[in-house]
Amino acid sequence: MNIESMNEGLHRLLEKYLPGKTALLETDAGIGCGAVLKKDGECVKLLPWRVERRFTELKNLTENGTLEEVSTLRFAVMSAEESLRQLLYRELDLCEFLGKSEIRSAFAVVSGGRTANVLIKLADGKSVSIECSAALPEKTSPLDRHEIIARRGIACDRVVDTQVPQSSIYLFRDGEETRYTDVDSELYGLENKEIWIVRAAFAVVKTPGLAAQWNRTDRILRRNVESILNTEESGKPVFFQEEHA
Amino acid sequence: MKPVKIAMASLTHGHTRKYYQTLLDNEKLDWVASCAADPRAREVYALYNTGVPCYSSMEEMFGKHPDIEAVVLASANDRHLEEMRECARRGVHILSMKIPTFDMTEYDEMIRLVDRAGIVCQIELEMHYNPVVRRLKELIASGAVGKILSMQATNITLSPVWAFPWQGVPEASYGRRIPLKEGDPRFRGGALCDHPHIFDLIRHLTGSDFEQVYSVVAPNLRNELEVEDMILCNGRMKNGVTFLFDPSWSRMEERLKVPAPGWEVFPKRMQVDVTIIGEEGTIVCDCFGPNIYHNGAPNDRYTVQYTYFDEWIGLVDEFVDCIRNRKIPKINLKWHRQTIECMNACYESVRSGLPVTLDEQRRG
């Protein structure tokens, strides 16, 4: 993660859309996205997947009537670089973000300390499955899939009949395949993960109320990650009380 | 920097609605007015609740807002010359739709008008502001595939004619009623006129211009149209690069009067796929992918939900930069002329049944 380039991108966005506003990204070694925003003397935990376009578009489909009566969310995530806790942190937040309901209970089966298969119930009755693996071989690109199943319609961030993410460009040369997926003209040159962190930081500056909301969500998520992973030892599902209200 | 006072005119072009959010969001712009070509365009404009006043004519709009500095001419192709004359007379900068005109005499008048008035005239070829295309350009420029041998590309979409009827009217789209070829009941003005992007892109990617083009039309998918909807082209650039282009309306659509969810019948309503074959490598590229996918309302059909692409942001940024800093847009009238010439040559090839050499056409 190149924090200097990310701050340059954030500065460009602020200068263009919110002239006079300032903020700074700093790396963060704790569980989360890998960076925090420093703004007006406060430290804000960022939830960049909440501004990532594929997730905002999926959420739109659940809110604009394209999907009707969502029943189940099916998520999968596999990574060579991120820890099991980091992966679960993001996916648990996406459960509530896309499911539009709080997590009420969960049960995980964990293997080797690097994989967890989790079943979740949301407060409104929806079910969620999360296939979570930090055991991808080194140098393998991350894989993920987010599917929303409703009485009317299914939506997914992966195209039907495929198992791995598609790219925009494939370069074949010297027996090798190189892939490129560029998704943001204004932040061109940053890695995709960096782009969504910058966009999340911009969102916080633009909508200051997000800072307290995301910091609170971060605290709940960190606790939930540990509680859910502990169900492996307890052998029982964990139940959560209403917390976000 | 003082925001540019901008307006939109006519509002009948298929890309009209794509400007609204960008014009409202960009702090370097002050969108002050719009004018509609007809009552229907005005009704559709009202659906989007932009909060920007809409007038019935350019004259009325300029009368109410004499400080307008720039106009997006979102009009049918046959309206462009008259509107450009009006803007040039007033010294107002122009953002033109992708086909200024197919009439090369008119085209040269446009160049003279813009030069004399000292205004910016940018042509809307939004693909240049697509991040995938930017990467493609960089890869090729860096020699990723070595010397280019050939390029294949699609610019295939649904047909917009049911929402934007002028695109099916030969006079409004092509500028005149010219039969495709002897014995063919159809006229110039269909799918080809809607899809200049790949003809432009190959010039940028190869740094060369068209040597020769050959083109064929197929039976229409839509019997009601009097313009072509299925057309293929191949040819050669001056530097030897060969190409094969499909600029058809080969993706079927619901016949909506206003674009809305459920417009597409085929899951992906717009595909710009580019293949570049070089001596040292090959690139395959989907300029509008990946996305998200669903089979929900309104028609329960599998559908590509376009997810990432905001070409109009960069396009408008460049327009503002050119106005304020007296720059010449990347896609200007003089650059674009040879793209339009090649598209005319495609029609000429359809008429004659023979390849057309561009230099001969210019001399002829």
Side-chain angles (χ1 to χ4, degrees), chain B residues 1-207:
Chain B
M1 187 184 78
K2 189 178 147 201
V4 173
K5 289 195 181 297
I6 196 164
M8 289 195 69
S10 281
L11 311 174
T12 52
H13 197 276
H15 288 173
T16 301
R17 70 192 185 287
K18 298 182 177 180
Y19 283 92
Y20 297 160
Q21 200 60 46
T22 300
L23 297 192
L24 290 170
D25 285 350
N26 194 324
E27 293 283 325
K28 293 173 183 167
L29 292 172
D30 181 9
W31 183 13
V32 293
S34 299
C35 64
D38 53 50
R40 181 164 175 261
R42 195 167 181 163
E43 279 173 29
V44 173
Y45 177 75
L47 297 175
Y48 292 90
N49 294 316
T50 64
V52 176
C54 187
Y55 302 95
S56 301
S57 67
M58 278 182 93
E59 192 180 1
E60 186 187 6
M61 180 177 78
F62 281 125
K64 291 273 174 52
H65 301 271
D67 53 351
I68 289 171
E69 297 175 80
V71 176
V72 180
L73 297 180
S75 48
N77 294 344
D78 66 336
R79 300 285 305 143
H80 291 164
L81 178 60
E82 191 183 322
E83 291 175 349
M84 282 196 192
R85 283 177 180 149
E86 182 64 15
C87 288
R89 191 175 70 77
R90 294 173 180 271
V92 168
H93 305 288
I94 296 164
L95 184 48
S96 166
M97 296 297 102
K98 52 197 172 185
I99 305 293
T101 175
F102 280 106
D103 182 311
M104 300 319 287
T105 306
E106 283 188 5
Y107 201 103
D108 290 336
E109 182 184 342
M110 290 175 175
I111 291 174
R112 285 194 300 275
L113 284 168
V114 167
D115 282 352
R116 273 191 212 135
I119 55 176
V120 171
C121 180
Q122 181 174 332
I123 313 299
E124 180 221 58
L125 286 178
E126 72 278 10
M127 294 299 298
H128 285 280
Y129 312 92
N130 173 305
V132 179
V133 171
R134 184 169 170 183
R135 177 72 64 182
L136 181 64
K137 286 180 186 174
E138 286 183 5
L139 285 171
I140 289 169
S142 72
V145 296
K147 180 173 181 276
I148 299 177
L149 300 172
S150 74
M151 168 172 163
Q152 294 78 246
T154 63
N155 190 168
I156 48 182
T157 65
L158 49 67
S159 174
V161 295
W162 319 107
F164 307 100
W166 67 266
Q167 292 196 258
V169 177
E171 292 86 347
S173 179
Y174 186 73
R176 282 180 292 165
R177 181 167 285 259
I178 298 184
L180 284 179
K181 56 186 173 182
E182 195 175 336
D184 194 309
R186 297 169 296 173
F187 300 88
R188 298 179 182 184
L192 179 62
C193 296
D194 198 23
H195 295 147
H197 303 284
I198 46 182
F199 294 89
D200 171 74
L201 199 53
I202 193 171
R203 296 176 60 210
H204 283 271
L205 294 177
T206 63

Side-chain angles (χ1 to χ4, degrees), chain A residues 90-136:
Chain A
R90 179 182 89 154
E91 299 305 311
L92 291 178
D93 190 42
L94 283 169
C95 280
E96 297 194 345
F97 181 66
L98 295 174
K100 294 188 293 181
S101 182
E102 290 181 27
I103 295 173
R104 189 55 74 235
S105 67
F107 181 67
V109 286
V110 182
S111 182
R114 292 197 295 164
T115 72
N117 288 319
V118 187
L119 293 184
I120 291 169
K121 290 298 290 181
L122 301 184
D124 64 0
K126 294 184 193 92
S127 294
V128 185
S129 68
I130 304 176
E131 306 159 33
C132 201
S133 164
L136 263 189

Side-chain angles (χ1 to χ4, degrees), chain A:
Chain A
M1 196 179 292
N2 185 334
I3 206 77
E4 194 177 325
S5 301
M6 291 162 68
N7 273 316
E8 285 169 11
L10 177 60
H11 179 70
R12 279 201 307 277
L13 290 182
L14 293 174
E15 200 173 44
K16 180 175 177 184
Y17 294 106
L18 299 170
K21 299 278 188 187
T22 58
L24 194 67
L25 285 161
E26 289 184 3
T27 51
D28 175 33
I31 192 170
C33 72
V36 291
L37 182 70
K38 293 289 177 68
K39 174 180 93 60
D40 304 328
E42 67 176 333
C43 177
V44 184
K45 296 290 278 192
L46 299 171
L47 306 175
W49 38 88
R50 290 192 179 209
V51 299
E52 189 171 339
R53 288 286 288 273
R54 62 178 164 138
F55 297 126
T56 59
E57 288 293 334
L58 283 172
K59 188 173 174 67
N60 282 343
L61 295 180
T62 69
E63 293 175 345
N64 66 12
T66 303
L67 300 186
E68 294 175 5
E69 298 183 73
V70 174
S71 162
T72 296
L73 311 179
R74 292 179 63 245
F75 296 170
V77 59
M78 291 175 253
S79 172
E81 292 181 353
E82 293 186 275
S83 71
L84 187 60
R85 281 176 169 75
Q86 279 175 315
L87 296 173
L88 201 51
Y89 177 94
R90 179 182 89 154
E91 299 305 311
L92 291 178
D93 190 42
L94 283 169
C95 280
E96 297 194 345
F97 181 66
L98 295 174
K100 294 188 293 181
S101 182
E102 290 181 27
I103 295 173
R104 189 55 74 235
S105 67
F107 181 67
V109 286
V110 182
S111 182
R114 292 197 295 164
T115 72
N117 288 319
V118 187
L119 293 184
I120 291 169
K121 290 298 290 181
L122 301 184
D124 64 0
K126 294 184 193 92
S127 294
V128 185
S129 68
I130 304 176
E131 306 159 33
C132 201
S133 164
L136 263 189
E138 209 174 320
K139 295 180 183 172
T140 308
S141 298
L143 308 173
D144 68 359
R145 180 197 69 237
H146 300 83
E147 184 179 77
I148 303 174
I149 303 169
R151 282 195 176 139
R152 184 177 194 184
I154 292 174
C156 190
D157 55 2
R158 303 297 168 214
V159 71
V160 67
D161 235 5
T162 59
Q163 297 177 71
V164 296
Q166 304 295 296
S167 297
S168 303
I169 292 178
Y170 298 79
L171 166 64
F172 305 99
R173 182 181 168 131
D174 298 330
E176 290 184 3
E177 175 192 299
T178 312
R179 297 171 167 221
Y180 302 87
T181 300
D182 292 286
V183 297
D184 192 318
S185 288
E186 290 181 305
L187 296 174
Y188 182 85
L190 295 182
E191 297 291 328
N192 283 353
K193 185 179 175 184
E194 296 171 337
I195 284 171
W196 303 120
I197 291 173
V198 173
R199 289 284 176 192
F202 178 76
V204 171
V205 179
K206 188 178 180 189
T207 312
L210 278 181
Q213 188 187 325
W214 284 6
N215 277 340
R216 177 175 162 73
T217 300
D218 165 70
R219 285 193 297 274
I220 295 169
L221 280 170
R222 277 186 283 133
R223 188 209 58 194
N224 286 359
V225 166
E226 296 308 319
S227 302
I228 290 170
L229 288 176
N230 284 340
T231 62
E232 164 70 15
E233 282 185 22
S234 70
K236 291 177 187 169
V238 60
F239 291 86
F240 300 102
Q241 300 302 310
E242 190 174 343
E243 303 221 40
H244 290 287

